[in-house]
Amino acid sequence: MAYRSLVLGAFASTSLAASVVTPRDPVPPGFVAAPYYPAPHGGWVASWEEAYSKAEALVSQMTLAEKTNITSGIGIFMGNTGSAERLGFPRMCLQDSALGVSSADNVTAFPAGITTGATFDKKLIYARGVAIGEEHRGKGTNVYLGPSVGPLGRKPLGGRNWEGFGSDPVLQAKAAALTIKGVQEQGIIATIKHLIGNEQEMYRMYNPFQPGYSANIDDRTLHELYLWPFAESVHAGVGSAMTAYNAVNGSACSQHSYLINGILKDELGFQGFVMSDWLSHISGVDSALAGLDMNMPGDTNIPLFGFSNWHYELSRSVLNGSVPLDRLNDMVTRIVATWYKFGQDRDHPRPNFSSNTRDRDGLLYPAALFSPKGQVNWFVNVQADHYLIAREVAQDAITLLKNNGSFLPLTTSQSLHVFGTAAQVNPDGPNACMNRACNKGTLGMGWGSGVADYPYLDDPISAIRKRVPDVKFFNTDGFPWFHPTPSPDDVAIVFITSDAGENSFTVEGNNGDRNSAKLAAWHNGDELVRKTAEKYNNVIVVAQTVGPLDLESWIDNPRVKGVLFQHLPGQEAGESLANILFGDVSPSGHLPYSITKRANDFPDSIANLRGFAFGQVQDTYSEGLYIDYRWLNKEKIRPRFAFGHGLSYTNFSFDATIESVTPLSLVPPARAPKGSTPVYSTEIPPASEAYWPEGFNRIWRYLYSWLNKNDADNAYAVGIAGVKKYNYPAGYSTAQKPGPAAGGGEGGNPALWDIAFRVPVTVKNTGDTFSGRASVQAYVQYPEGIPYDTPVVQLRDFEKTRVLAPGEEETVTVELTRKDLSVWDTELQNWVVPGVGGKRYTVWIGEASDRLFTACYTDTGVCEGGRVPPV
Ligand code: NOJ
């Protein structure tokens, strides 16, 4: 069902004209995609045992064609995967987006991931996950295609950073894990995506003329940054994973045996199923051997011709012996076990909506030339009171960057002049642009597949007008040429935006990434701020933005009294903002990325998008571990606003203690051996299991897994004779491996989650006027003199207080696990605690990555306040 956004996306609509043509740069030396075979069987983790034994019982009754049928979508626009209805296994509905239910009526348009990350609030993140899960269930989907943690947010200009939670692996990891928990508790399978390195949109896709770009990532950087949120998601029990469009170290993610078999399934012990991103699947046998379990949406790279790399081709490949039946059985068992694991065999609702039309009746096979019609929409309202959660997230994400002279909050008795088209909903309607691929009016989300339809959009101007009798609204992005001189006390609120999205659409010259607008506010927003500040003494800037902006042309202007980032607030953009503007609530959002003074405060590899090259575009992670604040701290570059920054209307004090919990050894204790996995016959099945049923009426473009009798018989003859062998990749083997030392449970060796230290922090509201919520952030600084280069500080945990009245206090506890104190040792291929034996780690506690005034020492167990921050 999640196909609508792909209409324009299949052929990578990147503008070549805008790019600089450079000769092909080959994958640089040292970046390797090593072979890893075979695909590890699923089912060896105790918590999945029951689901796998039920799956084994069902799968052992399936014919070959039933098995191959459930491993693929039935074709773009057709909706869903194939089924094994004879045995009660339904077509599964896989639906976007990371922020709700996409392409559906009567749903909530939640704030985007980046907004959710900016709350730094675990309870709210989880509550949003529960609500999203409830809505998916109410609409009858099986699989939620979120959360997104790849991109991680390495490049400020990256198009889809806003779908994830911020430019830090731990923020992404904890937010993803809580979202997954919330969603999956509702019986919906969550999908962690996109594995991995999808840090820019342009040139991401393989097409007949060019491979997708290669993200070249070294082993340590992979483990300590980009894989970290995936590991935490697997640890949280995520049911499915989606591969990325691009390649990593020269090998396409959808057929990357090292990433899927080696990292995801063996090292991280992933027990669910792995799907391809839409139309990214470029081979048949190779991807199966590399560990792909589900081919979405079923078609080949170029859709709508009725061709598939799997379906009938997978049936043929099993009959002729190229794909071992053992591999097919594992794919199918993983899918069926995940379905059981989340209770979808028990009263799971069937889909009650169509992504293709809002009418009650529609085409039953939308991609077919001639299709019967029938009811496709039942208009089930799943919103319940989720607007309250959406509003709370939007509100608690609002990040106060500047508040000169405590100018904010405003009073409702003052005269307000509001500028900027973003204050008001798009006059054509909030859903006027397909997949929100335009930037008109209030910007509640980016564009592409990661969106939902607004049931309504509560815009800022309506909310402001509800409270303030004297409001003048200038619904323009250019400062009016004739404007009477305002009185010295008048306040101007200026709304500015910056948008981005998926490469399937180009908006105002931006091909998904912000390749045209860069870090400037759209529609000359910066000029609007400057011009307004020429006239008004008091200017408040409100930004609706996918990510960091270049604020330098006006941020130091003393007339710009306050700056608020709403991020992407979703449907609740109005009340949430008014609550902050007028002081009902103190702002408590914090930046999920740093805002630099200059774009090139970051190295070229981060600051700039990779442009066109003949052959494969190379995106080399030459900065290694040093992205966002890790880079700035290393280079001693002061950003304009650091990661984690966010002001309140009140002030807080922090008082911490540190307790040692579990003593650590250099590496985690030896892992337990894998448990048993389902056992099936490995004989090639009879060809008749793949014959077309007698008299079957085929629909063109619908993808089937049956073969003509002749084709099936011929393939079977080859397979049984064992003569014609597939040209297997280097390193191919069929002997299951015991698994690496770093593995042993979901997410890795279970000891990685042992709590090493606990840090209770007593937070006090030391102000005397406003209540507020404090963000407590814990950053670790590794011991001196260790043989590993480590970033100055790294976020490892965070908590948020409840609303504290002046003088009130609360104790929250942050924790550090073994993994939090480890580095990935590329020689040992394991997590190593470099400070073992009592070396001093410093755990810095504060409210931003550059506001760390309390230090706790792991060697002495002492915490000290009033320290000079390490950055
Ligand atoms: C492509 C996107 O990259 C992915 O995130 C999405 O889930 C699928 N399309 C399905 O729409």
Side-chain angles (χ1 to χ4, degrees):
M1 286 205 138
Y3 304 144
R4 207 168 73 172
S5 68
L6 258 286
V7 189
L8 305 175
F11 305 103
S13 61
T14 302
S15 148
L16 302 187
S19 313
V20 180
V21 179
T22 51
R24 179 180 179 185
D25 193 8
V27 176
F31 294 100
V32 182
Y36 197 105
Y37 297 99
H41 289 163
W44 52 267
V45 166
S47 57
W48 283 72
E49 217 174 271
E50 191 187 333
Y52 267 87
S53 72
K54 286 182 187 167
E56 184 178 5
L58 194 86
V59 173
S60 55
Q61 300 170 57
M62 285 184 180
T63 64
L64 172 61
E66 281 168 337
K67 289 179 185 172
T68 52
N69 202 35
I70 73 167
T71 63
S72 272
I74 55 176
I76 196 158
F77 307 128
M78 292 295 193
N80 309 339
T81 59
S83 61
E85 295 284 353
R86 180 180 68 93
L87 298 168
F89 190 82
R91 288 165 51 179
M92 286 172 95
C93 171
L94 285 62
Q95 187 71 10
D96 287 314
S97 71
L99 60 68
V101 187
S102 73
S103 312
D105 56 88
N106 292 310
V107 298
T108 305
F110 289 94
I114 200 72
T115 320
T116 310
T119 67
F120 279 76
D121 182 339
K122 292 179 181 167
K123 288 193 196 81
L124 262 184
I125 297 170
Y126 167 71
R128 174 179 173 273
V130 170
I132 290 176
E134 284 173 358
E135 297 207 359
H136 271 267
R137 189 182 177 96
K139 286 290 183 187
T141 78
N142 299 83
V143 180
Y144 155 65
L145 297 175
S148 173
V149 295
L152 181 83
R154 167 177 175 249
K155 300 189 189 198
L157 301 181
R160 298 183 71 185
N161 299 348
W162 60 272
E163 293 184 47
F165 304 99
S167 302
D168 177 272
V170 169
L171 179 57
Q172 291 271 9
K174 295 204 186 272
L178 289 160
T179 304
I180 290 162
K181 182 172 180 311
V183 166
Q184 294 195 156
E185 282 170 1
Q186 316 316 312
I188 295 293
I189 300 163
T191 308
I192 196 69
K193 67 187 189 182
H194 311 82
L195 188 78
I196 204 167
N198 189 178
E199 299 291 331
Q200 75 168 47
E201 281 296 282
M202 295 199 302
Y203 312 106
R204 65 179 181 165
M205 274 176 114
Y206 280 70
N207 64 55
F209 309 106
Q210 193 184 34
Y213 63 75
S214 175
N216 303 317
I217 316 177
D218 69 81
D219 188 29
R220 184 166 167 211
T221 302
L222 181 79
H223 278 83
E224 293 190 25
L225 287 190
Y226 300 94
L227 192 65
W228 191 293
F230 286 91
E232 206 68 37
S233 300
V234 176
H235 190 63
V238 72
S240 68
M242 188 190 290
T243 55
Y245 281 119
N246 52 279
V248 167
N249 298 354
S251 175
C253 287
S254 61
Q255 52 179 37
H256 202 301
S257 67
Y258 182 74
L259 277 179
I260 310 176
N261 289 340
I263 297 272
L264 184 66
K265 290 186 174 174
D266 234 6
E267 188 182 316
L268 302 188
F270 174 65
Q271 302 296 306
F273 61 92
V274 180
M275 70 179 82
S276 60
D277 199 345
W278 268 233
L279 306 175
S280 71
H281 185 184
I282 54 169
S283 68
V285 177
D286 285 347
S287 55
L289 303 180
L292 191 74
D293 303 308
M294 188 183 271
N295 164 42
M296 291 307 295
D299 309 70
T300 49
N301 249 196
I302 301 179
L304 291 174
F305 286 96
F307 296 131
S308 180
N309 289 314
W310 280 9
H311 273 301
Y312 53 92
E313 290 296 357
L314 188 54
S315 301
R316 191 203 309 274
S317 306
V318 171
L319 287 174
N320 73 20
S322 316
V323 173
L325 181 62
D326 176 66
R327 177 71 267 265
L328 177 65
N329 284 338
D330 176 60
M331 294 178 192
V332 176
T333 309
R334 282 174 175 272
I335 294 167
V336 176
T338 309
W339 178 74
Y340 277 122
K341 171 91 175 147
F342 297 101
Q344 297 191 350
D345 56 318
R346 298 187 306 266
D347 300 329
H348 195 80
R350 293 258 170 153
N352 53 40
F353 70 105
S354 161
S355 296
N356 299 304
T357 175
R358 283 286 175 280
D359 296 340
R360 177 186 176 279
D361 292 341
L363 302 176
L364 297 181
Y365 308 108
L369 272 192
F370 304 101
S371 164
K373 275 190 137 189
Q375 182 166 1
V376 291
N377 276 310
W378 282 261
F379 309 107
V380 178
N381 190 324
V382 294
Q383 295 166 86
D385 59 358
H386 298 156
Y387 72 96
L388 291 173
I389 291 162
R391 187 182 296 165
E392 207 176 331
V393 173
Q395 170 192 286
D396 285 8
I398 292 175
T399 310
L400 178 62
L401 298 181
K402 171 177 177 181
N403 193 15
N404 266 21
S406 298
F407 189 80
L408 287 170
L410 305 172
T411 66
T412 51
S413 56
Q414 71 213 117
S415 155
L416 291 182
H417 295 186
V418 177
F419 295 85
T421 55
Q424 188 172 57
V425 64
N426 180 351
D428 308 326
N431 300 315
C433 302
M434 186 180 185
N435 291 79
R436 306 304 80 79
C438 65
N439 180 8
K440 201 169 172 196
T442 303
L443 185 69
M445 55 186 81
W447 74 78
S449 59
V451 302
D453 284 3
Y454 293 102
Y456 58 82
L457 205 170
D458 172 34
D459 59 10
I461 192 66
S462 312
I464 292 171
R465 278 188 171 134
K466 267 191 220 153
R467 306 205 184 196
V468 181
D470 183 10
V471 180
K472 285 198 189 65
F473 177 37
F474 300 89
N475 192 3
T476 166
D477 293 319
F479 195 79
W481 68 272
F482 175 74
H483 192 73
T485 308
S487 76
D489 293 339
D490 279 347
V491 175
I493 307 182
V494 182
F495 284 82
I496 61 174
T497 63
S498 176
D499 203 355
E502 198 171 351
N503 187 226
S504 1
F505 300 89
T506 296
V507 178
E508 300 184 34
N510 295 279
N511 302 107
D513 303 312
R514 294 190 281 174
N515 54 307
S516 172
K518 303 270 175 19
L519 300 178
W522 286 36
H523 310 146
N524 284 326
D526 297 308
E527 188 175 284
L528 181 62
V529 175
R530 289 192 301 267
K531 289 237 160 103
T532 311
E534 280 170 19
K535 291 264 183 190
Y536 286 79
N537 281 344
N538 309 304
V539 178
I540 305 296
V541 180
V542 178
Q544 296 153 0
T545 177
V546 291
L549 294 173
D550 178 348
L551 311 174
E552 293 306 305
S553 71
W554 47 262
I555 190 73
D556 279 332
N557 186 329
R559 293 173 150 210
V560 175
K561 296 278 162 54
V563 179
L564 291 163
F565 267 35
Q566 278 195 282
H567 308 282
L568 297 172
Q571 70 180 41
E572 301 296 330
E575 236 1 72
S576 57
L577 178 67
N579 287 343
I580 301 286
L581 279 176
F582 301 107
D584 307 15
V585 174
S586 279
S588 66
H590 288 255
L591 278 182
Y593 43 74
S594 301
I595 298 179
T596 55
K597 293 186 179 153
R598 286 168 300 267
N600 61 8
D601 280 345
F602 287 126
D604 168 67
S605 58
I606 297 180
N608 297 314
L609 302 158
R610 295 306 100 192
F612 177 75
F614 289 109
Q616 189 168 43
V617 172
Q618 302 297 320
D619 187 9
T620 300
Y621 291 36
S622 46
E623 75 288 346
L625 298 175
Y626 297 96
I627 65 165
D628 202 273
Y629 64 92
R630 290 165 167 82
W631 170 267
L632 300 171
N633 292 344
K634 176 173 148 76
E635 297 298 314
K636 300 194 169 36
I637 299 170
R638 297 230 51 96
R640 172 57 67 175
F641 297 112
F643 176 90
H645 172 78
L647 304 174
S648 170
Y649 295 152
T650 187
N651 293 306
F652 302 98
S653 66
F654 294 76
D655 190 11
T657 55
I658 184 165
E659 301 156 12
S660 166
V661 184
T662 311
L664 300 180
S665 48
L666 184 69
V667 289
R671 60 171 288 173
K674 289 179 179 177
S676 62
T677 57
V679 180
Y680 305 98
S681 156
T682 53
E683 295 289 300
I684 292 179
S688 58
E689 286 195 15
Y691 293 168
W692 281 95
E694 286 292 318
F696 188 84
N697 181 19
R698 308 178 196 186
I699 296 161
W700 187 48
R701 289 177 174 157
Y702 195 109
L703 301 171
Y704 300 100
S705 56
W706 292 298
L707 287 165
N708 293 330
K709 182 171 181 311
N710 265 354
D711 287 350
D713 290 346
N714 288 342
Y716 180 78
V718 171
I720 284 298
V723 278
K724 213 168 158 195
K725 284 278 175 225
Y726 184 74
N727 187 13
Y728 289 104
Y732 179 66
S733 133
T734 53
Q736 287 285 312
K737 293 187 165 72
E746 280 182 289
N749 189 316
L752 292 172
W753 282 270
D754 286 349
I755 307 292
F757 295 93
R758 203 164 270 142
V759 182
V761 184
T762 301
V763 182
K764 182 171 182 185
N765 180 346
T766 54
D768 47 23
T769 313
F770 293 99
S771 299
R773 305 184 67 198
S775 163
V776 176
Q777 302 171 21
Y779 294 79
V780 70
Q781 181 177 15
Y782 280 67
E784 280 175 13
I786 58 171
Y788 303 90
D789 193 22
T790 53
V792 181
V793 290
Q794 305 191 69
L795 181 73
R796 287 304 194 226
D797 199 6
F798 53 89
E799 283 295 338
K800 203 163 185 180
T801 65
R802 59 183 152 79
V803 178
L804 298 177
E808 209 181 342
E809 54 181 51
E810 183 187 354
T811 301
V812 297
T813 301
V814 286
E815 294 175 335
L816 291 129
T817 64
R818 169 189 278 276
K819 192 172 173 190
D820 292 332
L821 302 176
S822 299
V823 295
W824 176 254
D825 187 299
T826 56
E827 302 266 310
L828 290 179
Q829 286 292 295
N830 210 339
W831 291 99
V832 166
V833 178
V836 73
K839 292 204 186 78
R840 167 175 292 195
Y841 289 85
T842 307
V843 183
W844 290 93
I845 302 293
E847 50 192 359
S849 65
D850 64 345
R851 292 182 59 78
L852 302 169
F853 303 114
T854 301
C856 296
Y857 308 111
T858 58
D859 54 343
T860 55
V862 168
C863 294
E864 287 173 6
R867 292 293 316 276
V868 177
V871 296

